[in-house]
């Protein structure tokens, strides 16, 4: 009689078990899924790092002379706003230097070009090497050496691990190009920490950079860098520039 009146507690136990275990299982599944995603991401990053390392080239006189010859010729042409970005895009791209190159088009077929080593811990803090070019023949050689220097430094640093993002940018020497550069960083909520301007920029150029990019208000450190008078001088400057950039980007 007593056994017949005992309530059946089995359904209650199953319900309590489900209430406890199902959320726990969901949490464990979520943790496992995140672990698998992170593992795959790390594997992909490791493959990209090894690939970039294989493409790395030491800064050399031959490399500077080769790039300078092509750039000098392109700057002397009317279609420089097409040929310079095109050359930079292909030269710095995945097959040659291992970078993902961004090309921001604006105005009458003009473009800003940049490529970066993304920071490992503070990717939105930017250290930038910037080279500018225009149609002014008095600045042709300084622009040539500046871009050649930037390309050689970028080639030697590809695959480097840095805390802050290290960005290489080449843009037309104009207010509109600087505005496009600023707009791109604003959209990404980035902060420009260090700006190294290559090619012995004159006072007017530096004033325009500081005004458009609001460097003083944003606490950006701007450093004008000298242009080499020839490839040999550029070689020396490039080695110094590399160390300055990596130090600012906080290489481990």
């Amino acid at each position: 009689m007593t056994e017949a009146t005992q309530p059946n507690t089995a359904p209650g136990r199953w319900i309590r078990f489900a209430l406890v275990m199902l959320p726990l299982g969901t949490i464990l599944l979520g943790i496992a899924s995140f672990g698998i995603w992170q593992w795959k991401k790390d594997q992909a990053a490791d493959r990209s790092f090894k690939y970039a390392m294989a493409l790395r080239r030491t800064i050399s006189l031959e490399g500077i002379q080769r790039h300078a010859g092509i750039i000098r010729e392109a700057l002397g042409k009317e279609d420089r706003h097409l040929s310079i970005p095109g050359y930079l895009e292909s030269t710095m791209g995945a097959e040659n230097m291992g970078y993902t190159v961004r090309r921001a088009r604006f105005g009458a077929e003009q473009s800003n070009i940049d490529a970066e080593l993304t920071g490992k811990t503070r990717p939105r803090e930017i250290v930038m090497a910037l080279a500018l070019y225009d149609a002014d023949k008095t600045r042709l050689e300084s622009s040539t050496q500046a871009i050649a220097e930037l390309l050689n430094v970028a080639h030697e640093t590809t695959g480097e691990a840095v805390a802050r993002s290290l960005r290489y940018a080449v843009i037309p020497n104009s207010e509109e190009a600087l505005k496009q550069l600023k707009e791109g960083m604003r959209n990404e909520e980035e902060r420009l920490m260090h700006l190294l301007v290559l090619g012995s920029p004159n006072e007017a150029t530096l004033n325009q950079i500081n005004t458009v990019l609001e460097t003083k208000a944003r606490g950006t450190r701007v450093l004008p860098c000298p242009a080499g008078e020839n490839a040999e001088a550029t070689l020396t400057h490039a080695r110094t520039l590399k160390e300055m950039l990596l130090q600012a980007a906080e290489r481990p």
Side-chain angles (χ1 to χ4, degrees):
M1 184 70 180
T2 304
E3 292 180 359
T5 58
Q6 287 289 330
N8 188 353
T9 59
R13 285 197 296 269
W14 279 109
I15 291 171
R16 287 194 297 274
F17 176 80
L19 289 174
V20 173
M21 294 306 295
L22 286 178
L24 181 60
T26 302
I27 293 171
L28 292 174
L29 182 60
I31 293 172
S33 298
F34 177 78
I36 293 170
W37 173 82
Q38 187 64 45
W39 178 79
K40 289 182 176 179
K41 181 181 178 183
D42 291 343
Q43 289 290 100
D46 186 56
R47 286 194 299 271
S48 297
F49 174 76
K50 290 179 179 178
Y51 177 70
M53 287 288 290
L55 294 174
R56 184 179 294 181
R57 297 292 181 271
T58 303
I59 295 168
S60 68
L61 182 62
E62 180 185 3
I64 290 171
Q65 290 173 331
R66 177 169 54 85
H67 288 307
I70 296 170
I71 293 161
R72 187 181 295 109
E73 182 179 354
L75 284 174
K77 295 181 178 179
E78 292 296 325
D79 68 346
R80 68 183 66 84
H81 290 303
L82 294 175
S83 57
I84 292 293
Y87 178 68
L88 295 169
E89 196 171 21
S90 62
T91 300
M92 301 179 77
E95 293 183 357
N96 292 312
M97 290 192 191
Y99 289 99
T100 298
V101 181
R102 298 190 305 180
R103 182 169 183 170
R105 302 174 188 269
F106 63 95
E109 298 183 325
Q110 297 191 61
S111 302
N112 287 353
I113 294 288
D114 70 56
E116 74 171 31
L117 297 168
T118 303
K120 300 294 184 182
T121 57
R122 285 171 286 164
R124 292 186 178 180
E125 294 183 6
I126 310 300
V127 176
M128 181 183 293
L130 176 65
L132 305 96
Y133 65 92
D134 54 32
D136 190 337
K137 292 183 179 180
T138 65
R139 290 197 291 268
L140 186 146
E141 193 58 29
S142 60
S143 296
T144 293
Q145 296 298 328
I147 298 173
E149 179 180 5
L150 181 145
L151 288 173
N152 272 261
V153 174
H155 210 165
E156 184 165 314
T157 58
T158 186
E160 283 279 2
V162 286
R164 293 168 166 165
S165 292
L166 174 53
R167 185 170 298 169
Y168 298 98
V170 180
I171 68 173
N173 186 8
S174 70
E175 183 177 357
E176 182 60 28
L178 287 167
K179 287 180 179 178
Q180 291 294 324
L181 190 69
K182 177 184 176 182
E183 191 64 28
M185 289 188 290
R186 180 182 297 163
N187 290 342
E188 297 294 335
E189 298 180 356
E190 296 171 340
R191 182 182 175 190
L192 184 58
M193 307 296 294
H194 296 263
L195 177 62
L196 285 76
V197 187
L198 313 186
S200 298
N202 58 32
E203 186 176 354
T205 298
L206 287 174
N207 287 339
Q208 183 169 253
I209 289 171
N210 288 324
T211 299
V212 175
L213 299 185
E214 300 176 334
T215 56
K216 292 182 180 179
R218 297 175 184 274
T220 302
R221 183 186 178 192
V222 180
L223 181 63
C225 298
E229 297 178 358
N230 49 47
E232 288 78 8
T234 299
L235 176 64
T236 301
H237 294 162
R239 289 169 177 161
T240 302
L241 176 65
K242 173 201 166 187
E243 295 305 320
M244 293 171 63
L245 289 170
L246 291 177
Q247 182 177 3
E250 300 184 10
R251 177 176 57 180

